[in-house]
C-alpha cells in the first residue's frame, strides 16, 4: 500500500520531479555469494558456532539431475541458497540488510535528495522477495547515487538486475534525465 501511495499521480503533469526504479533481482536465491553471507553474519555479530552451522548447511548442497529417468552424478553447488530450505528467506534478508546500510550512507551524501513523498520517512527503498524498489528525487545526481549504491551491493552480494524485467518510472523529470538513466541501466 505504501508503494501504491508513492506512485499515485505518476501519470499527472505538474508533479514534483520523482524517480522510482523497479528492479527484478535475477536468480536472487541462486546468486548469493557464500563468502559474503559469512562476512555479513560475522559483521552482525552472530555467535561463531552459529555461523559455522549455517555455513555447513548452506555449503553442503549437492544436486542430481534426472536424464532419461536416470540420475546423474552429484553436482556440488558453489553459491546460492536452496529455496526449499526454511532458513533461506532469513539468510536472504540478512544479505539485503547490506543493501539497506549502503543506501543509508547514500542518503547522507550531499547530492542525494529523497523522493518528494519519502523525505519525512527517509525511505530510499523497499524489498519484496526478489523485487526491489528504489526511490529518489527525479534529478540525475540523486538517481545516480542510488544506482551506484545498488551496483556496489550487486557486486558484493552477487545479485544482478534482470534488465528485461526492471523499469524506471519518473514524473516531472526532464526527458533528458530519464533518457540518461535508461541508457545507464539498460532498463525500460
Amino acid at each position: 500500500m505504501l508503494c501504491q501511495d508513492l506512485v499515485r499521480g505518476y501519470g499527472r503533469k505538474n508533479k514534483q520531479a520523482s524517480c522510482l526504479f523497479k528492479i527484478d533481482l535475477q536468480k536472487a536465491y541462486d546468486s548469493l555469494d557464500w563468502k559474503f553471507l559469512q562476512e555479513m553474519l560475522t559483521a552482525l555479530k552472530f555467535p561463531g558456532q552459529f555461523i559455522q552451522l549455517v555455513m555447513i548447511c548452506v555449503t553442503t548442497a549437492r544436486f542430481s539431475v534426472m536424464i532419461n529417468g536416470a540420475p546423474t552424478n552429484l553436482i556440488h553447488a558453489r553459491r546460492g541458497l536452496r529455496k526449499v530450505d526454511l532458513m533461506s528467506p532469513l539468510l536472504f534478508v540478512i544479505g539485503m540488510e547490506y543493501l539497506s546500510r549502503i543506501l543509508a550512507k547514500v542518503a547522507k551524501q550531499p547530492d542525494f535528495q529523497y523522493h518528494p513523498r519519502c523525505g519525512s520517512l527517509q525511505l530510499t527503498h523497499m524489498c519484496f522477495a526478489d523485487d526491489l524498489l528504489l526511490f529518489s528525487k527525479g534529478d540525475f545526481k540523486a538517481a545516480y547515487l542510488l544506482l551506484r549504491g545498488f551496483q556496489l551491493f550487486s557486486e558484493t552480494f552477487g545479485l544482478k538486475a534482470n534488465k528485461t524485467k526492471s523499469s524506471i518510472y519518473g514524473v516531472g523529470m526532464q526527458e533528458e534525465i530519464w533518457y540518461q538513466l535508461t541508457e545507464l541501466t539498460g532498463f525500460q
Side-chain angles (χ1 to χ4, degrees):
M1 289 187 341
L2 179 61
C3 178
Q4 287 177 339
D5 188 52
L6 288 173
V7 298
R8 188 178 319 141
Y10 262 46
R12 295 184 206 147
K13 292 183 179 182
N14 301 327
K15 293 285 287 180
Q16 284 186 300
S18 51
C19 183
L20 180 146
F21 295 96
K22 183 217 167 273
I23 300 175
D24 180 83
L25 299 173
Q26 185 175 340
K27 298 184 179 182
Y29 277 73
D30 299 338
S31 303
L32 181 95
D33 184 84
W34 291 340
K35 186 174 187 226
F36 165 74
L37 177 63
Q38 186 171 9
E39 289 172 2
M40 276 301 295
L41 291 169
T42 302
L44 294 171
K45 299 186 184 339
F46 280 91
Q49 190 175 9
F50 175 79
I51 295 171
Q52 187 177 17
L53 287 172
V54 167
M55 296 313 296
I56 287 170
C57 290
V58 169
T59 60
T60 57
R62 307 290 184 261
F63 303 95
S64 181
V65 179
M66 297 290 279
I67 298 178
N68 295 327
T72 62
N73 292 336
L74 289 177
I75 302 167
H76 302 275
R78 293 194 176 129
R79 64 178 352 184
L81 299 171
R82 293 172 281 199
K83 290 181 183 177
V84 296
D85 191 334
L86 296 178
M87 78 175 165
S88 290
L90 301 172
L91 296 175
F92 187 77
V93 167
I94 288 172
M96 295 304 284
E97 174 63 19
Y98 183 64
L99 175 66
S100 294
R101 291 176 182 216
I102 289 172
L103 294 180
K105 288 183 179 184
V106 163
K108 292 178 182 174
Q109 298 296 312
D111 288 334
F112 181 79
Q113 294 181 44
Y114 288 101
H115 183 286
R117 301 182 82 186
C118 297
S120 62
L121 297 174
Q122 296 185 340
L123 182 66
T124 56
H125 68 290
M126 294 171 63
C127 302
F128 306 98
D130 64 349
D131 287 319
L132 174 64
L133 299 173
L134 302 177
F135 310 103
S136 74
K137 184 168 181 171
D139 70 19
F140 184 78
K141 289 180 182 178
Y144 182 73
L145 285 170
L146 271 184
L147 290 174
R148 294 288 297 156
F150 174 74
Q151 183 180 18
L152 174 62
F153 163 77
S154 177
E155 291 168 359
T156 307
F157 192 105
L159 288 178
K160 305 232 179 300
N162 183 341
K163 292 181 181 184
T164 60
K165 293 183 178 179
S166 298
S167 305
I168 301 171
Y169 301 95
V171 63
M173 290 172 56
Q174 295 175 357
E175 192 172 318
E176 178 184 319
I177 292 172
W178 188 86
Y179 180 74
Q180 288 175 324
L181 293 173
T182 57
E183 287 294 309
L184 183 66
T185 61
F187 301 168
Q188 300 298 318

